[in-house]
Amino acid sequence: MKTKNIRKTDLLIRALQALRHAKTRTIFTALAISVGSFTICAALSAGLGAKSYINNTISDRGDPTAITITYDFTNSQKPKDYTPKKYSDNTENNNTDQINNSKNVVSEQNSETFYNQSFPQNYLTKVKNTEGLDQIHYGYFIDGRYFTGSNEQKYKTSVNTQIDKQAIQLSTAIQGVDSQYILKDNEAFVSENYYKQLGLNDKKQLLNQQINIAFFATPEDEGGSLIHKTVKVVGLLNEAGARTYAPNTIYIPYNMVNQICQNGQKCQFISLSASVKNGYVIQDVISKLKVIGSDLTVDSMQSTQEDLMQSIQIAEGGLIFFGALALLASIFGIINTQYISVLERKRQIGMMRALGMHAKDISRLFRYEAGLIGLFGGFIGCVLALVLTLFNPLLSKLFNITKPKETLLIFDWVSSAGLLILLIIIAIVAGYFPARKAAKLTPIEALRG
Amino acid sequence: MITVKNLNKTYNPKKNPVQALQNINLSIPSKQKIAVVGRSGSGKSTLMQVMSTLDKADSGEVLIDKTNILQFNDKQLDKFRAEKMGFIFQNFYVDDTQTCLANISLPLEILNMNKSARKRLSLEALERVGLEDKAKSLASELSGGQRQRLAIARAIVNNPKILFADEPTGNLDSQTGWQIIQTLFNLTNHLGTTFIMVTHDITLANMCDIIFQMQDGKIWQIDKKSNTKEFNNIIK
Ligand SMILES: Nc1ncnc2c1ncn2[C@@H]1O[C@H](COP(=O)(O)OP(=O)(O)OP(=O)(O)O)[C@@H](O)[C@H]1O
Ligand SMILES: [Mg+2]
């Protein structure tokens, strides 16, 4: 005798109706699941957002083949003498009306340590001879002193060089030129904060102003003399960028400093930057550089990106792990609520069996219900995670992301859909045990209640 | 034609055996109305349940049109019940969480019928029991009598060959019960259904074609009774 089964859609409708009847229980079971699914969906959103942010920021910074080679002087040449040197009471410093910014102390704190160290000459030769390297630049340490404001007042500032080919980190925060702009001779980016000191009413008026600056390229106690230059402002470093990376600073062209330093001969530096020539594999070049000395750290855009990606993945994985734990706990909720449901509906089950419904279909009905609870719970969690992305503008503000297109949370539709499907499957598997109990009842056992 | 041969059923065979059916033999011609009477605990419900395959017998045969349905496997039994049998119980067993229409539609869903046919047949069945205006109401909103009507509509919607009713009026007052019986008799007459009913009511038993009496798990056919006192000796 051929047997026909009840249609799946009819069974699904009956499952939905049963859940609707047990509304409160269904909602609370689903909410338990939603905790886990929310955590996972939110982790996925944050992961996707962070990855895309890093990708965009790094590709913004220009040359992806860029490599930084840093000499780790603390490793090999620990200073023998830790006693502080005498502070030379410099008149230039005393006359300066200081711009009160607590973060602008980098040069003073580190200068001594830096000055006493330099990239070893033999390393430099080896780096220069490395095949595949191009455009080697010296990471000079500039000791910025002041810029001259209105009324010939001097204001303290730090000074950095912009290294060609590698748009500066502040790309997100330069106004006046596009973010990839390379400074030409005697041009500069200047903190937008400097307008008052220059006697201007508005930040915008800073553009195209000529400013006199003073800095040491070679430390004073090593025989360096204060260098005076006049630069033209072509871009403004704005608040957001300045707060994150370099407060109250001035960027000058690399060549301006390189000329003074005569190609690395006159000034000290501990890092080099370079790019990899076309046709060479970045990783191969990095390996060659690393062989030069164990106290050389070689970073590339690529490896930086990979490192960042990895740490994001670890953080994301951790969150997902806890989400999965929450889900695991909620599975017992599904099993529990479905067992109760079977007990409550014994007579209904008996009647269905009396009317000829197969035991297998009874079991299927209860598994459908479990699957639907899983779907609801997962859906609630994912919707909450989606709602969370509405707070992107707030988060961007919190983390100083000024590009309108950049968001920290990007809802991961594909993975979330995958999660929902996975949840349905897990819930159905969890629902198997109560469903089996329901199916095992003989019609008369069930009818007796 | 239903033939029952040497049917036995013992509850709790190991610990505390109760021989609910002892070597039952009987014959029921098609389209007849059968009353099963007897004292409480005599085995009436057990007989109904075993004959209708809701419960398993220990031994014996139930032949329906010469096929022994007791040797069917579970799936075949399900199908047989879905296609050929209807059930009415003393306490209705309607699904309070569903509408009347959904209640009646269930046996047809089990038969894999499409939605429009289901709706047509369900409405027809509702009309036959006089509940056409309650199609969209929840079963929980019905009175006792209306619930039993709903159960009747659900039992006959698949046009069964055999309709089992275990004290269908047991939970109803006599007037409502009487209306229910009239509905049942009209319907089974109209549909040509074999109707097997357990009852404690002399008038109802006398309206049937054949009356069986049960006692201590045994069964035999009896004549119609003209007086209540004589009948009460049988059932009380
Ligand atoms: N599930 C069960 N387990 C054990 N014994 C049972 C079970 N069901 C019925 N019995 C016993 O089987 C015998 C027959 O019971 P049954 O329910 O068939 O009687 P009945 O004639 O329908 O009685 P009533 O008129 O009270 O409904 C009784 O002695 C009863 O105690
Ligand atoms: Mg009984």
Side-chain angles (χ1 to χ4, degrees):
Chain A
M1 215 189 308
K2 201 178 165 288
T3 57
K4 273 184 178 173
N5 284 16
I6 187 167
R7 289 162 193 232
K8 290 204 172 90
T9 45
D10 289 333
L11 216 49
L12 202 60
I13 291 169
R14 295 229 165 232
L16 270 169
Q17 285 167 339
L19 291 181
R20 197 181 55 188
H21 184 70
K23 242 182 254 130
T24 321
R25 208 167 60 208
T26 305
I27 288 171
F28 278 108
T29 314
L31 279 179
I33 297 164
S34 73
V35 175
S37 68
F38 168 75
T39 311
I40 293 177
C41 277
L44 290 170
S45 302
L48 199 63
K51 281 175 202 161
S52 108
Y53 179 70
I54 285 169
N55 277 336
N56 291 346
T57 316
I58 285 182
S59 65
D60 254 14
R61 285 224 238 146
D63 191 356
T65 70
I67 286 181
T68 315
I69 306 150
T70 311
Y71 171 60
D72 187 1
F73 57 86
T74 56
N75 231 4
S76 55
Q77 292 188 5
K78 289 206 161 73
K80 288 150 208 140
D81 184 9
Y82 283 98
T83 48
K85 288 186 176 176
K86 266 187 194 163
Y87 179 69
S88 62
D89 206 6
N90 194 313
T91 45
E92 299 278 8
N93 255 343
N94 283 347
N95 289 345
T96 316
D97 251 2
Q98 301 203 345
I99 291 167
N100 200 7
N101 191 319
S102 59
K103 286 177 187 170
N104 189 18
V105 289
V106 185
S107 54
E108 273 137 49
Q109 276 184 349
N110 292 343
S111 54
E112 224 162 309
T113 338
F114 276 110
Y115 289 160
N116 291 331
Q117 308 303 334
S118 191
F119 208 95
Q121 189 58 45
N122 59 331
Y123 281 9
L124 182 62
T125 319
K126 281 179 185 167
V127 171
K128 280 181 171 167
N129 290 336
T130 305
E131 222 184 311
L133 269 192
D134 199 11
Q135 310 230 17
I136 297 173
H137 290 87
Y138 305 95
Y140 296 121
F141 184 77
I142 312 293
D143 183 11
R145 287 299 156 122
Y146 62 79
F147 69 89
T148 315
S150 55
N151 310 320
E152 295 303 309
Q153 276 283 10
K154 287 167 185 168
Y155 296 94
K156 201 164 143 187
T157 184
S158 66
V159 174
N160 294 291
T161 56
Q162 183 204 31
I163 293 174
D164 304 330
K165 272 272 188 176
Q166 193 178 335
I168 57 169
Q169 298 171 333
L170 289 157
S171 59
T172 52
I174 300 176
Q175 291 176 346
V177 288
D178 87 76
S179 61
Q180 308 269 352
Y181 187 82
I182 305 293
L183 292 172
K184 296 190 191 85
D185 288 349
N186 298 320
E187 288 183 341
F189 299 142
V190 167
S191 167
E192 65 175 7
N193 293 334
Y194 290 176
Y195 72 98
K196 273 186 201 151
Q197 284 71 30
L198 288 162
L200 304 170
N201 300 321
D202 187 61
K203 292 173 180 175
K204 288 263 159 63
Q205 292 176 340
L206 264 175
L207 284 175
N208 296 322
Q209 287 287 328
Q210 301 280 343
I211 304 184
N212 294 318
I213 59 173
F215 58 87
F216 286 99
T218 308
E220 197 181 6
D221 55 0
E222 308 242 335
S225 55
L226 193 62
I227 295 156
H228 295 271
K229 288 279 178 185
T230 304
V231 291
K232 182 182 155 198
V233 180
V234 296
L236 305 182
L237 306 168
N238 74 13
E239 267 295 313
R243 213 185 308 156
T244 318
Y245 296 106
N248 296 336
T249 196
I250 294 175
Y251 272 83
I252 56 176
Y254 173 76
N255 275 336
M256 181 184 275
V257 180
N258 198 34
Q259 276 163 17
I260 299 164
C261 292
Q262 296 176 16
N263 271 322
Q265 287 170 16
K266 283 280 162 76
C267 311
Q268 284 170 336
F269 56 91
I270 57 158
S271 73
L272 297 172
S273 71
S275 58
V276 174
K277 273 185 198 158
N278 260 348
Y280 287 87
V281 180
I282 301 177
Q283 278 311 323
D284 293 350
V285 178
I286 291 177
S287 316
K288 276 188 225 160
L289 288 170
K290 278 184 173 163
V291 178
I292 294 174
S294 61
D295 42 7
L296 278 192
T297 312
V298 186
D299 290 314
S300 66
M301 279 295 184
Q302 216 177 41
S303 64
T304 309
Q305 188 171 6
E306 277 162 10
D307 286 353
L308 283 171
M309 287 293 178
Q310 202 178 24
S311 39
I312 286 168
Q313 224 125 29
I314 289 169
E316 189 184 358
L319 267 180
I320 288 176
F321 174 76
F322 284 110
L325 273 187
L327 276 187
L328 188 71
S330 64
I331 284 170
F332 293 103
I334 299 181
I335 297 178
N336 184 42
T337 191
Q338 285 303 90
Y339 263 122
I340 294 171
S341 189
V342 170
L343 292 179
E344 266 182 11
R345 285 151 69 195
K346 258 188 163 177
R347 290 219 161 84
Q348 190 196 12
I349 295 167
M351 198 60 227
M352 285 172 163
R353 295 283 282 121
L355 292 173
M357 197 193 270
H358 297 312
K360 219 173 109 185
D361 286 334
I362 300 274
S363 157
R364 195 178 281 162
L365 173 68
F366 280 88
R367 276 178 292 149
Y368 279 10
E369 289 177 20
L372 284 170
I373 296 175
L375 174 65
F376 292 154
F379 186 74
I380 294 171
C382 286
V383 166
L384 288 178
L386 189 59
V387 168
L388 199 64
T389 61
L390 295 180
F391 291 93
N392 264 327
L394 203 74
L395 290 170
S396 294
K397 220 172 174 179
L398 218 62
F399 290 98
N400 283 320
I401 294 165
T402 48
K403 282 194 176 173
K405 270 192 201 159
E406 288 292 359
T407 51
L408 274 184
L409 298 171
I410 298 175
F411 192 72
D412 191 340
W413 291 95
V414 177
S415 305
S416 299
L419 175 70
L420 281 192
I421 292 167
L422 187 74
L423 257 179
I424 295 172
I425 294 169
I426 290 173
I428 288 175
V429 172
Y432 169 79
F433 302 97
R436 192 180 56 172
K437 186 182 170 73
K440 264 189 173 173
L441 296 168
T442 69
I444 200 67
E445 274 170 354
L447 277 176
R448 280 189 199 118
Chain B
M1 180 80 162
I2 306 170
T3 314
V4 175
K5 285 186 186 167
N6 304 326
L7 198 60
N8 285 288
K9 167 89 182 170
T10 303
Y11 289 110
N12 305 324
K14 279 171 197 153
K15 276 187 219 157
N16 172 27
V18 179
Q19 221 180 343
L21 300 178
Q22 294 189 41
N23 220 30
I24 301 277
N25 283 284
L26 55 84
S27 238
I28 298 168
S30 288
K31 303 186 183 185
Q32 299 280 296
K33 291 178 185 49
I34 314 299
V36 180
V37 300
R39 292 196 179 118
S40 180
S42 58
K44 305 181 295 294
S45 295
T46 307
L47 178 65
M48 300 283 273
Q49 287 156 10
V50 170
M51 279 180 74
S52 63
T53 76
L54 292 181
D55 206 355
K56 295 243 186 318
D58 299 334
S59 63
E61 294 176 2
V62 176
L63 299 161
I64 294 175
D65 298 332
K66 290 177 188 156
T67 316
N68 180 13
I69 59 170
L70 294 195
Q71 43 161 262
F72 282 175
N73 67 26
D74 280 349
K75 274 201 154 182
Q76 290 170 321
L77 286 178
D78 292 339
K79 184 176 157 73
F80 195 84
R81 283 200 301 272
E83 287 176 350
K84 305 274 166 64
M85 291 183 179
F87 299 88
I88 297 161
F89 298 93
Q90 185 174 349
N91 32 10
F92 324 132
Y93 292 143
V94 293
D95 189 343
D96 279 345
T97 67
Q98 304 263 11
T99 63
C100 293
L101 206 61
N103 262 284
I104 300 174
S105 158
L106 180 59
L108 305 177
E109 285 176 32
I110 290 167
L111 287 172
N112 199 276
M113 199 175 279
N114 72 43
K115 207 173 171 184
S116 61
R118 254 158 39 198
K119 192 165 184 191
R120 184 170 49 78
L121 289 175
S122 305
L123 285 172
E124 207 176 285
L126 269 180
E127 217 174 285
R128 286 200 166 134
V129 298
L131 285 177
E132 56 271 24
D133 54 335
K134 298 281 184 191
K136 296 263 163 65
S137 310
L138 282 175
S140 57
E141 294 162 6
L142 301 182
S143 71
Q146 285 171 329
R147 286 163 162 235
Q148 194 61 302
R149 283 173 189 281
L150 182 62
I152 292 169
R154 184 180 60 191
I156 54 111
V157 71
N158 60 339
N159 200 356
K161 273 201 151 140
I162 313 161
L163 180 59
F164 293 94
D166 193 345
E167 300 186 52
T169 62
N171 275 352
L172 303 171
D173 64 77
S174 58
Q175 201 196 334
T176 314
W178 185 241
Q179 287 167 353
I180 291 291
I181 289 300
Q182 276 187 322
T183 308
L184 270 171
F185 274 50
N186 287 339
L187 275 170
T188 48
N189 279 338
H190 178 77
L191 298 169
T193 317
T194 307
F195 180 49
I196 306 175
M197 170 176 65
V198 173
T199 182
H200 288 100
D201 186 322
I202 181 176
T203 328
L204 291 188
N206 280 335
M207 284 169 69
C208 293
D209 304 309
I210 302 171
I211 304 174
F212 286 109
Q213 183 190 341
M214 286 197 77
Q215 194 170 345
D216 301 329
K218 297 194 184 77
I219 197 166
W220 57 86
Q221 194 173 337
I222 58 167
D223 296 331
K224 296 189 181 182
K225 306 288 169 193
S226 49
N227 95 43
T228 316
K229 206 177 160 194
E230 203 185 341
F231 185 76
N232 278 346
N233 283 336
I234 295 171
I235 61 161
K236 283 181 181 148

